[in-house]
Amino acid sequence: MEDSAIVALYWQRDQQAITASDEKYGALCRGLSWNILESREDAEECVNDTWHRAWNTMPPQRPVSLRAYLARIVRNLSIDRYRLRRSQKRGGGFETLALELEDCVPPAPSAEAVWESREIAAVLGRWLEGLEPEDRWLFVRRYWYGDRVEQLAARRGCTAQQLTGRLYRLRQRLRRVLEQEGVVL
């Protein structure tokens, strides 16, 4: 089913929208959530919460890309659950991703720095657009979807060590671009 048809079902308040969303994007959402939480039960709960949130936000929202809309919801819910769980106990895979990026991406902006965060997002978007498709795919899969280096290496037919080096070089390139644009790290 096309995304526009699924969104129309949400707008019509037809529960078939949830079934169609799960059929089309359930695996993506479960995988993304699992990469952050490393718990099937928590991931499944976040996915169910995603369908609930989508139901409650459409209308008034009418996303152009349902895939991106649902991925963002499940990612944010998973990060919130991760933070809650982390406050109760230390450790986890998502922390590794944040640590890898902390030397080249500034921390999340405060409420007073919303404008700056938009500028950083614009610089990051331009940087990603300028990458070779393979490098862009790799960066997004690692740092947005949270795929493990070993998984990415297997998909690309290289060793985890080679891929780790490539990711390091990409982060360094990003850091240089951000510094050239005047982003304080």
Side-chain angles (χ1 to χ4, degrees), residues 1-2 6 25 28 107 180 184:
M1 183 179 287
E2 292 293 320
I6 298 171
Y25 296 115
L28 169 79
Q180 289 170 352
V184 179

Side-chain angles (χ1 to χ4, degrees), residues 15-185:
Q15 290 188 357
Q16 180 62 28
I18 294 171
T19 304
S21 296
D22 191 50
E23 288 172 2
K24 189 164 184 181
Y25 296 115
L28 169 79
C29 290
R30 283 178 191 81
L32 200 160
S33 185
W34 190 87
N35 285 343
I36 294 170
L37 297 169
E38 296 180 334
S39 164
R40 295 219 186 279
E41 295 81 16
D42 286 346
E44 189 62 40
E45 194 167 329
C46 283
V47 171
N48 289 334
D49 289 347
T50 298
W51 308 145
H52 184 256
R53 174 98 30 107
W55 182 264
N56 288 334
T57 58
M58 287 188 275
Q61 300 290 322
R62 188 179 287 275
V64 175
S65 170
L66 184 61
R67 179 179 200 249
Y69 187 76
L70 295 173
R72 184 174 182 153
I73 291 172
V74 76
R75 186 174 189 272
N76 288 341
L77 288 170
S78 298
I79 290 170
D80 289 346
R81 180 167 298 244
Y82 171 84
R83 287 179 179 145
L84 176 66
R85 204 172 62 190
R86 186 168 178 254
S87 69
Q88 296 168 352
K89 63 178 184 176
R90 299 285 177 206
F94 186 70
E95 187 172 48
T96 303
L97 295 176
L99 289 173
E100 286 180 12
L101 283 174
E102 88 177 355
D103 66 336
C104 65
V105 176
S110 65
E112 300 84 34
V114 170
W115 183 83
E116 288 179 14
S117 69
R118 289 185 182 141
E119 289 298 311
I120 292 167
V123 171
L124 182 59
R126 287 192 303 271
W127 180 76
L128 284 169
E129 287 174 2
L131 290 178
E132 293 294 321
E134 176 75 14
D135 286 339
R136 181 174 41 247
W137 178 88
L138 177 63
F139 193 86
V140 169
R141 290 305 309 185
R142 177 68 179 139
Y143 297 112
W144 175 259
Y145 290 104
D147 289 355
R148 286 169 180 60
V149 171
E150 296 78 17
Q151 291 173 319
L152 293 170
R155 288 176 75 175
R156 290 297 170 230
C158 63
T159 67
Q161 185 175 2
Q162 290 170 323
L163 200 62
T164 300
R166 189 171 174 187
L167 287 166
Y168 173 78
R169 289 186 296 278
L170 282 170
R171 290 192 311 271
Q172 292 305 310
R173 286 171 52 192
L174 174 59
R175 181 185 183 122
R176 283 192 298 274
V177 167
L178 290 170
E179 287 173 347
Q180 289 170 352
E181 293 287 332
V183 176
V184 179
L185 303 177

